[in-house]
Structures are given as C-alpha cells and as structure tokens.
Amino acid sequence: MLPVLRGPVEADVAIVGAGFTGLSTALHLAEAAPGLTTIVLEAEEPGFGASGRNNGQVIPTLTRPDPDDLVARLGPERGERFVALVRDSAAFTFALIRRLGIDCEAVQAGWIQPAHSPERFERVSRKRFEQWSRRGAEVELLEPRRLAERLGSEAWCGGWAARTGGHLNPLAFARGLARAAVARGVRLFARSPVTGLERRGTSWRLATPSGSVEARRVLLATAAYSGPPTGALARTFVPFRPWMLASEPLGENVRRSVVPGGEAVSDTRADLRFLRWTVEGRLVSGGALALPLHERARLGRRVGELLARAFPPLAGLRFAFAWTAEIALTPDRHPHLLALGPELYAWIGCNGRGVALATALGPHLAALLTGGDERALPLPLERPKPIPLAGLAAVLVRLALPYYRWLDSRP
Ligand SMILES: Cc1cc2nc3c(=O)[nH]c(=O)nc-3n(C[C@H](O)[C@H](O)[C@H](O)COP(=O)(O)OP(=O)(O)OC[C@H]3O[C@@H](n4cnc5c(N)ncnc54)[C@H](O)[C@@H]3O)c2cc1C
C-alpha cells in the first residue's frame, strides 16, 4: 500500500496527479536524472482519474486536428516534431509496456476508425490516411468491402486504420507505471491531495492535509481533475464525462464474428460509437455523451441496441459494468503545454485521446523538469487562457446530444 504524505519534505521536482501523465513523467525523470528527488502526490490512488477508467484504446492520432492542422498551427519544424510524437505514441506505449514488463492485457492489434457515411469516408478517412501516410505512419485505407470484413459488419462505409494502435487494461497499466516509477526511486504518495500551492522564494510549497513538499519545479498532471489549488489551469478546459460499459465474457462464436482481428474501434461520429474486446472476451464500449447517474440503464440499453444493429451476433447484449470519469476538452480541441508560473507546468486537452499521448509526453515533460531547453519541446509553452463562462460551457456540453446527432446526420 502506498504511503500518505506526512510532515514536510523537500524535492527537486513535485508532480501532482498519478495518471499516465504524472507517472510516465516521473518514471522517465527517474531514469534520465536518477540524482534528482521526484515526489508524486496523488489525491486518491494511481489511476483514479481518467487513466484508470478510460476505454483502453491506444490511438496514435488526436480526436480532431489532423497532421496538416498541427503543422499549420505550430509551424513546420515544431509541428512535424509533434506530429511524429503523435504518430509514434502508440508504438512508444506498447514498447514501454514490454520494456517494463507491465501485465496490463496489452494487445497491439491496431486501431480502426470506421466512417459513418460515404461522405465522411471520402472527406475524413481518405484525408487522414493520406496525411498520415505522407508522414510515414503505418496506416491503411479500408474501402467499404475491406472494412466490412475487418469489422464483421456492413454498418459503416469504409474507414482507415493505424496498425500501431491497440488496447490495454488502463488501470493495470497505471498501476504498472506506478510500480516501475517507485522501483526507480520516485516517492509516490497516495491519498495526499494538494490543497494549496504557493511560491516561496525560488521554490514552490505544496500543502496536503498532513504534510507539505517544497520543490523547485512542479508539474500539475491533474488534467480534468484540476481543482482550485491548480489556479488558472482549472479554467482552461471543459470537463466532460462519457460512460464506459463492459459485458460479461461472450462466447467464442461471437468473438470470432465481431471485430475478429481484435482491433480497437472508434468511429467518426460526434456521438461516438466505439468498442474493443478484453483478453477474457468482454466487450467494452460506452456512450460518449454525459448522462445523469439514474440514466445508466437507459444508456446500456441504447448502446446494446446500436451495437446489435451493427453486429447481429450481439443481439440481446447486456452490460454488467458501467463507470465514468472526466475528460478535459479544450475549445480548439488541441492539447496545450502551459507555463503557469516560474517552473510550474501543466499540459491540458487530451480531448479523449490521452492513453498514448500522455504516456509519450512523459519523456518530454521530464526533460522540461530537468531544466531542458524549451525549444526542444514538441509543443510551445503557452500562458493559460481561461475560458470565459467555463462553468456554463460545462453545463452546455452535457446537453449537447441533439446537436451531436444533428452533426452526425450531415454529410
Ligand atoms: C471515460 C473515458 C474514456 C476514455 N477513453 C480513452 C481511450 O479509449 N483512449 C484514449 O487515448 N484516451 C481515452 N480517454 C482519455 C484518457 O483517459 C486521458 O487522456 C488520460 O488518462 C489522461 O491522463 P492524465 O494523467 O493526464 O490525467 P488523469 O488520469 O485524469 O489523472 C489526474 C490525476 O490527478 C489527481 N489529482 C487531481 N487533483 C489533485 C490534487 N489537488 N492533488 C493530488 N492529486 C490530484 C486525480 O486524482 C487523478 O488521479 C478517456 C477518458 C475518459 C474519462
């Protein structure tokens, strides 16, 4: 069991949050600079946030911006560097799991994005395939017939796939990263929420209910769970809570006919359809739209019906488990690396694609925390831009289902 922070301690680096961002950064910091003291403070347990409760799809793309958008925004040199990081993020994640020997049901069977209309296939799938191929990514264009064979369904209209993608058990991955970080000398404290953060001379003081850390450099790896102690960071995103659902293990016949290659699948809809198998044969899916707690059963029925319509062998599908967690959406759907104060950093804006991205950002955030050159970073360091009426935006995003469906019905 991990300890709670008690009493005052000093560190070179303090990381707040033990999700993939905090843990991958701490691990790479311990490996690159073993002489530095790194402390991770987690409010609950490692993986408590989105990292332990996501769908486990390892996806080497962002949700909305494509490679050309990233280059247009970041410039040719840094843009291509960031594109390469995203392109290699899934391969990086699986290689890290193999290197550390983490037992997390990792399956690198690929990731498929089916298009939900012929227009999206022409406009989205072809564009993404073309832009990623141009950058040397291992991608395939799946014409409608080929996609139908790969999925075992004719419900979509072609798509594209990234061969380096796949899926894993996210909580097992987070716990494995935590163990590896601790084994390399990182001091990880659980049940130690940071309640205060203040500048003291040339360092930062982080207060928890029963202790404090004095550190020169700080990373806020709190993502969508960033609360008041994180200052302006908490107002730079809109939190969003999709539901995840898992079935009981299904029979071998069903498994052989629904996505028989075992890829992770998430389509082009805004009201996203997604699924993957676990190694023991559970189907993990969900609804990307926020619902109040009492509507969980309705969501399960709806997702079950939608999946059964696409995959007849899933008729009567019922879900045995449901859970949820918070995603950080940014207004422009881009990830942002933030300088919140002297040697106080964060990144925000996974926009639902953070398993591979947060893990792959780890070494770069570690370099920043050892005083590395900012120009070498894959993203520019920005000042935080609080969203006006962030609270209202969070309410509106919960009511967005009809708007998303309207978007999905358009070519
Ligand atoms: C339901 C869901 C499904 C998703 N599915 C996918 C998917 O299939 N594929 C994909 O690529 N991405 C997916 N994502 C996104 C992905 O999970 C996240 O991008 C990623 O896990 C973010 O990791 P993180 O470490 O930055 O943040 P988190 O994992 O959210 O970690 C933040 C941590 O900070 C801690 N914390 C907050 N405040 C404090 C404090 N004051 N003191 C101490 N600790 C604090 C929290 O307890 C938490 O553990 C999904 C997200 C959700 C919510």
Side-chain angles (χ1 to χ4, degrees), residues 40-93:
V40 179
L41 298 171
E42 166 54 47
E44 305 284 344
E45 298 290 335
F48 169 83
S51 297
R53 290 188 273 161
N54 59 66
N55 199 256
Q57 300 206 9
V58 186
I59 306 174
T61 73
L62 301 183
T63 315
R64 198 176 292 169
D66 291 321
D68 288 357
D69 304 324
L70 294 169
V71 172
R73 180 170 174 272
L74 300 170
E77 204 272 321
R78 187 174 249 148
E80 291 298 350
R81 252 190 300 139
F82 185 59
V83 167
L85 182 145
V86 175
R87 178 197 64 203
D88 298 339
S89 59
F92 176 89
T93 302

Side-chain angles (χ1 to χ4, degrees), residues 92-104 106 168 173:
F92 176 89
T93 302
F94 286 111
L96 183 67
I97 290 167
R98 285 192 294 270
R99 173 164 77 81
L100 300 174
I102 297 178
D103 181 7
C104 62
L168 47 71
F173 179 40

Side-chain angles (χ1 to χ4, degrees), residues 16-22 41-45 47-51 53-57 59 192-194 221-226 229 242 244 324-327 347 350 352-356 358:
V16 186
F20 299 146
T21 301
L41 298 171
E42 166 54 47
E44 305 284 344
E45 298 290 335
F48 169 83
S51 297
R53 290 188 273 161
N54 59 66
N55 199 256
Q57 300 206 9
I59 306 174
S192 303
V194 172
T222 44
Y225 291 80
S226 305
M244 303 292 105
T324 185
E326 304 257 4
I327 287 178
W347 84 275
C350 80
R353 294 277 164 83
V355 174

